Amino acid sequence: MTLAEFLNQLDELASSAQQQLEQAADLDALESARVEFIGTKSGRLKATQKLLGKIEKTDKPAAGKRFNEVKTQIQAAYEQQQQQQMANASGGGTGGEQFDPTVPGPRPRLGHLHPITQTIEELKDIMGRLGFSLADGPEIEDEWHNFEALNIPLSHPARDPLDNFYLRVGEKTYDQALLMRSQTSTVQIRVMENTRPPVRIISLGRVYRPDTPDATHLPMFHQIEGLLVDRQVTMADLKSVLRLFASSYLGADVHVRFRPSFFPFTEPSVEVDMRWNDKWIEMGGAGMVDPAVLKAVGYDPDEVTGFAFGLGIERLCARRHGIDDIREIYKNDVRFLHQF
Ligand code: PHE
């Protein structure tokens, strides 16, 4: 064999070894490449070494020198590939970090009920313990239940189209119009129309008013309505129930204030305020059911009296949790919601 043939064969061996080592996809492939080229028994490097014996004596030093270079080169390429494959296999990427199976995995964040739903459940619970059962009514109402039966005649400013979300005006005559209910007092009428006294109910749900949203107003919010009708119910009963309700939900140190006010369906009427951040915040209204309302549903005002109240659920929830702006409640920002 001539020196040139030998050197040619070496070059070819070097380049195919380089290629196969680089292309080895995993440690197993790398190992078979190692056996094929550097294996001490039947590796191709070993076989080529044997050819050295067939080289002319004068050419031997040159052939041996080149052989050693190729051998070192293949060995180095193998070691480099091996290190890289081990780093990849441990999942650490370039940094070569080790996978630690004892590190706790990321916890999935569990969903939960919306703060208003939680508030509603708690308020039902408190009033349930005071003996009030649950009543319900539709969010789309007629004018009889939203106004007429509540002693709010057609001429009353509360019926102004600009202050209500009317539906189907024009299709029907004005006094038959439907609207999104502006208060849960509608449910008082629906219950009294269908039951004889005594009555002791609460109703919780959405109400709608074309208000400009601000820290304490929203065009859609929730109210809790309470109604108790029986013989000899007095204003003292109303005040003690509302105080008990407030201290059960907000804590014994809550301050409650009743301010003289006016509602067409209660007489006398009060505004219910609660103390919050050194300010009095209006939570809703209350009063003794007006005899005109009792008559409208067929009750005898000489036989029974009653009290009613309607409070804003968003404000109660905000006061309880120290939320300064009730608009936050409906932004659906999980960073806010997951705190409750
Ligand atoms: N319905 C009244 C409102 O929405 C509140 C209220 C309810 C007042 C019951 C008196 C009695 O403002």
Side-chain angles (χ1 to χ4, degrees):
M1 172 177 257
T2 67
L3 177 63
E5 283 173 323
F6 181 74
L7 292 181
N8 255 346
Q9 204 163 325
L10 261 184
D11 284 348
E12 202 196 314
L13 178 67
S15 74
S16 74
Q18 186 75 29
Q19 196 182 357
Q20 281 200 44
L21 288 169
E22 268 171 23
Q23 281 172 359
D26 52 27
L27 280 169
D28 283 348
L30 189 62
E31 174 61 8
S32 19
R34 185 193 67 79
V35 172
E36 180 179 345
F37 292 100
I38 335 178
T40 42
K41 280 189 192 136
S42 54
R44 283 170 63 179
L45 207 55
K46 194 83 190 167
T48 312
Q49 191 178 14
K50 284 178 187 153
L51 296 176
L52 267 177
K54 296 181 182 166
I55 301 287
E56 284 292 334
K57 205 167 181 171
T58 47
D59 289 328
K60 259 192 186 144
K65 182 167 177 266
R66 179 72 188 131
F67 176 81
N68 284 332
E69 282 171 359
V70 169
K71 186 180 171 182
T72 324
Q73 183 192 329
I74 294 178
Q75 187 69 36
Y78 167 72
E79 277 165 17
Q80 192 198 339
Q81 285 302 316
Q82 190 190 34
Q83 272 183 16
Q84 206 167 320
Q85 292 279 0
M86 300 231 295
N88 289 348
S90 69
T94 47
E97 311 141 37
Q98 298 290 306
F99 172 70
D100 182 351
T102 65
V103 172
R107 267 168 197 263
R109 183 181 285 167
L110 294 182
H112 60 68
L113 294 177
H114 188 274
I116 288 300
T117 311
Q118 290 181 31
T119 306
I120 287 173
E121 291 308 313
E122 199 170 335
L123 299 182
K124 279 186 200 167
D125 227 60
I126 292 169
M127 294 308 290
R129 290 201 293 273
L130 290 171
F132 287 76
S133 54
L134 214 54
D136 211 358
E139 289 178 26
I140 294 177
E141 262 299 2
D142 52 47
E143 296 206 285
W144 167 255
H145 293 96
N146 202 86
F147 298 126
E148 209 72 41
L150 286 163
N151 205 23
I152 308 174
L154 196 52
S155 58
H156 197 282
R159 292 173 72 156
D160 192 320
L162 291 175
D163 289 331
N164 294 283
F165 287 114
Y166 280 98
L167 308 166
R168 295 212 277 180
V169 182
E171 208 178 292
K172 300 218 165 196
T173 59
Y174 180 67
D175 63 347
Q176 285 179 316
L178 295 174
L179 73 159
M180 306 303 289
R181 67 176 178 195
S182 61
Q183 50 184 349
T184 44
S185 300
T186 53
V187 185
Q188 291 184 35
I189 303 303
R190 290 187 171 272
V191 169
M192 288 192 285
E193 279 173 340
N194 294 307
T195 24
R196 301 306 308 161
V199 170
R200 189 189 280 235
I201 58 103
I202 48 161
S203 188
L204 305 93
R206 294 188 183 92
V207 297
Y208 303 84
R209 296 176 190 179
D211 281 339
T212 305
D214 63 27
T216 50
H217 294 86
L218 287 169
M220 183 286 294
F221 63 100
H222 293 72
Q223 285 187 325
I224 172 171
E225 188 86 11
L227 172 70
L228 189 149
V229 182
D230 205 343
R231 292 178 193 281
Q232 293 175 341
V233 178
T234 70
M235 193 85 181
D237 299 316
L238 168 65
K239 291 183 82 172
S240 44
V241 164
L242 279 179
R243 281 188 197 284
L244 241 133
F245 168 81
S247 59
S248 303
Y249 183 60
L250 295 172
D253 56 342
V254 64
H255 295 284
V256 185
R257 180 174 82 173
F258 300 92
R259 231 170 348 109
S261 185
F262 174 82
F263 296 101
F265 37 94
T266 47
E267 181 60 36
S269 302
V270 292
E271 214 84 65
V272 184
D273 298 341
M274 294 182 196
R275 193 113 180 117
W276 181 9
N277 287 347
D278 293 329
K279 273 189 297 196
W280 287 106
I281 298 288
E282 184 190 323
M283 288 293 174
M288 301 305 293
V289 181
D290 195 291
V293 174
L294 295 175
K295 273 193 207 135
V297 297
Y299 284 11
D300 180 355
D302 293 328
E303 283 256 312
V304 289
T305 52
F307 70 69
F309 62 85
L311 308 176
I313 293 179
E314 279 76 3
R315 291 190 189 176
L316 285 166
C317 171
R319 164 74 172 76
R320 158 82 167 262
H321 295 291
I323 301 166
D324 290 323
D325 188 331
I326 64 170
R327 286 171 294 192
E328 294 293 339
I329 296 174
Y330 295 109
K331 280 186 185 160
N332 280 344
D333 185 335
V334 283
R335 291 169 303 180
F336 173 82
L337 292 174
H338 92 263
Q339 301 175 61
F340 301 93

